[in-house]
Amino acid sequence: MRRVVAGGIAAVFVAVAALTAAGSPGLAACQRVIVINPEVTVGEGAGRLIFTVFSGGCAASGQVGFTVTAGTAQPGADFALSGNQLLRWAAGDVTVRRITATVALDTVPEPALEDFRVTLVSPSPGVRVVHGTGHGRILDDDGLGFAWAADDQICPPWTFGTSTPVGEPWLTGEQRYLCDFDDGVIDAVSPEGPASVRWATADGTAQAGIDYVGVADRMALVPTGAKLVQLPVKLLARPVGTPQRWFQVRIFAPSRGVVVDGVSVVTVPGS
């Protein structure tokens, strides 16, 4: 991937669930930089939830492990994913790695949003984990109506100006890329829709007009059959040495259904 510190596009993924009535020492100067999706939300009926582990910086050989921690979602009952596995890269390999959890579909009434976490651990020499915790969230499919949830995002500067990861096809319905890939499309399918939701940005330590282009009030349309929509926010170029900062994307006023998590925190690491 190109390493260009410049402007990009921050895409916040909003999951929409249709609810029914039923390396080696000495490589310090050459580090592979690892990032996992901060948050991935799917409906119970999706069948699986996929975290993508992205690689930037120097393509040094190396590996990283991961652990799985239950939250309100319980292993066996709500999802299945074995931890203590290794993700490995050979020198020169810049492709992504995936961690796939199987999601259980049941008819038991549950909280609107259940969760678990995947944590990247024990990186080998030459590998640096910039963001190592992925928050998996499952929207319950046993209530009534339409549910919305906005996922947190992270925007590593080394992805600015790129499109899809090298050698990686777009996996419709399963794949979440990082926030600033230029190919912004609906990336999941369900039997429900159409719908719409309004959205806006809000400053945190990142400021509109300096770090990103703010959005005051905009409508996003979800086509028939889709359950995931992308909300693009343009990121502005900042000088090298700029510290980590963040802003919010908020969703509100859906055409139908309820918003169970209306705030996405978008983090831009220091450059």
Side-chain angles (χ1 to χ4, degrees):
M1 293 185 183
R2 291 179 292 169
R3 295 188 61 192
V4 181
V5 180
I9 296 294
V12 176
F13 294 105
V14 179
V16 185
L19 307 183
T20 63
S24 65
L27 292 178
C30 177
Q31 285 192 318
R32 181 183 293 273
V33 180
I34 301 297
V35 177
I36 191 173
N37 299 115
E39 208 159 54
V40 177
T41 306
V42 300
E44 230 181 23
R48 54 184 178 177
L49 186 157
I50 300 178
F51 293 99
T52 305
V53 181
F54 301 88
S55 172
C58 176
S61 63
Q63 64 184 36
V64 67
F66 68 88
T67 61
V68 181
T69 305
T72 52
Q74 295 299 307
D78 300 306
F79 74 96
L81 175 59
S82 298
N84 300 317
Q85 300 182 50
L86 289 176
L87 307 175
R88 294 184 173 92
W89 288 265
D93 184 357
V94 294
T95 57
V96 302
R97 297 294 182 266
R98 301 186 188 92
I99 300 173
T100 303
T102 301
V103 177
L105 176 62
D106 59 39
T107 59
V108 179
E110 297 165 314
L113 207 56
E114 296 184 298
D115 71 332
F116 65 95
R117 296 185 186 275
V118 168
T119 304
L120 302 181
V121 297
S122 304
S124 63
V127 173
R128 179 166 64 95
V129 178
V130 171
H131 182 84
T133 301
H135 188 198
R137 306 193 300 177
I138 304 169
L139 282 166
D140 182 42
D141 281 333
D142 304 310
L144 294 172
F146 221 63
W148 303 74
D151 283 341
D152 291 348
Q153 264 293 7
I154 188 167
C155 310
W158 46 262
T159 62
F160 289 3
T162 67
S163 55
T164 57
V166 177
E168 290 301 315
W170 188 270
L171 301 182
T172 302
E174 299 176 354
Q175 187 95 349
R176 304 292 209 286
Y177 287 148
L178 291 182
C179 62
D180 51 358
F181 287 109
D182 297 328
D183 297 343
V185 298
I186 302 297
D187 75 348
V189 177
S190 97
E192 300 294 334
S196 67
V197 69
R198 305 201 72 84
W199 66 283
T201 58
D203 284 356
T205 54
Q207 300 179 35
I210 298 176
D211 298 292
Y212 69 98
V213 177
V215 174
D217 184 355
R218 190 175 298 173
M219 178 179 289
L221 299 175
V222 183
T224 300
K227 70 172 183 181
L228 211 120
V229 63
Q230 193 178 49
L231 310 177
V233 179
K234 182 175 176 58
L235 302 176
L236 301 177
R238 299 289 283 129
V240 173
T242 300
Q244 177 170 296
R245 55 227 184 267
W246 61 272
F247 63 94
Q248 293 181 342
V249 172
R250 300 173 179 174
I251 60 172
F252 55 93
S255 60
R256 58 184 173 125
V258 296
V259 176
V260 295
D261 179 5
V263 178
S264 167
V265 176
V266 182
T267 300
V268 184
S271 58

